[in-house]
Amino acid sequence: MATDAGIERLVVPESPGGEGWDDFVQLTEVRNACRRVDGGHQRDTSPEFLLGGWHEAGQTEPETVVARRDGTVVSFAEYHREEPEVAPVGWFELFVLPEHRRRGIGARLYDEIERLAADDGRTTLIADFSSPPREGPVVAASNGAGGVPADDPGARFALARGYALG
């Protein structure tokens, strides 16, 4: 299904109140809303706390891509990479507000993340998501250590793109 959401790179502010701060606050709200629904998290993260983690010394800052509808951030993906001398690995997280899912927004953001990883020469791309326990069928992890509910949105998204749970 086509979407009318605009996709763009996000300027991550250097500090609270800096250039891009309002967008970063919206991104944090999307992240918190998705984590409450999908991950069972009870506590929200403040934009200030999240920003501090993104500017941690010794870490490469993530590339961030957002999707907007009517000027409001409704989805985002963050792409992280190890320094090439450490490992040719990239990983990402993708968040889509539940009311905006199944419209192609997540797929478009994922395509952008995959392109960034390919441009970086990454040979492995790892998705990170959390899921609260639920009743029903479980998709077992490939390493044999647990699994995730088969009806979990993150698991369905990853499996549809050829990922193995591990």
Side-chain angles (χ1 to χ4, degrees):
M1 175 184 289
T3 178
D4 60 349
I7 307 293
E8 62 191 65
R9 298 284 280 282
L10 179 77
V11 174
V12 175
E14 291 296 319
S15 61
E19 179 185 352
W21 179 247
D22 291 342
D23 290 336
F24 194 79
V25 169
Q26 287 184 40
L27 174 150
T28 305
E29 291 167 355
V30 169
R31 182 179 188 272
N32 287 336
C34 291
R35 289 175 61 97
R36 282 191 303 270
V37 170
D38 300 326
H41 295 270
Q42 301 296 316
R43 198 174 315 173
D44 287 350
T45 300
S46 72
E48 293 82 2
F49 181 83
L50 187 60
L51 183 63
W54 284 20
H55 291 309
E56 250 179 61
Q59 303 245 351
T60 58
E61 291 185 22
E63 297 281 343
T64 307
V65 184
V66 299
R68 295 179 196 274
R69 293 191 77 199
D70 300 322
T72 301
V73 175
V74 298
S75 178
F76 78 96
E78 56 186 77
Y79 166 66
H80 303 257
R81 65 182 92 44
E82 296 290 340
E83 292 298 332
E85 60 276 3
V86 174
V89 173
W91 64 274
F92 72 95
E93 289 186 276
L94 181 94
F95 299 89
V96 181
L97 287 172
E99 62 270 24
H100 294 278
R101 292 179 181 166
R102 309 210 47 87
R103 297 179 184 176
I105 296 170
R108 289 177 59 205
L109 288 175
Y110 172 77
D111 290 346
E112 180 64 15
I113 295 302
E114 195 171 57
R115 186 191 63 71
L116 288 169
D119 288 351
D120 276 349
R122 304 301 154 164
T123 57
T124 302
L125 189 57
I126 300 168
D128 186 19
F129 67 93
S130 58
S131 176
R134 296 184 183 115
E135 294 296 320
V138 172
V139 177
S142 60
N143 64 8
V148 297
D151 67 346
D152 179 84
R156 286 193 322 262
F157 188 87
L159 292 170
R161 281 151 186 81
Y163 282 79
L165 303 177

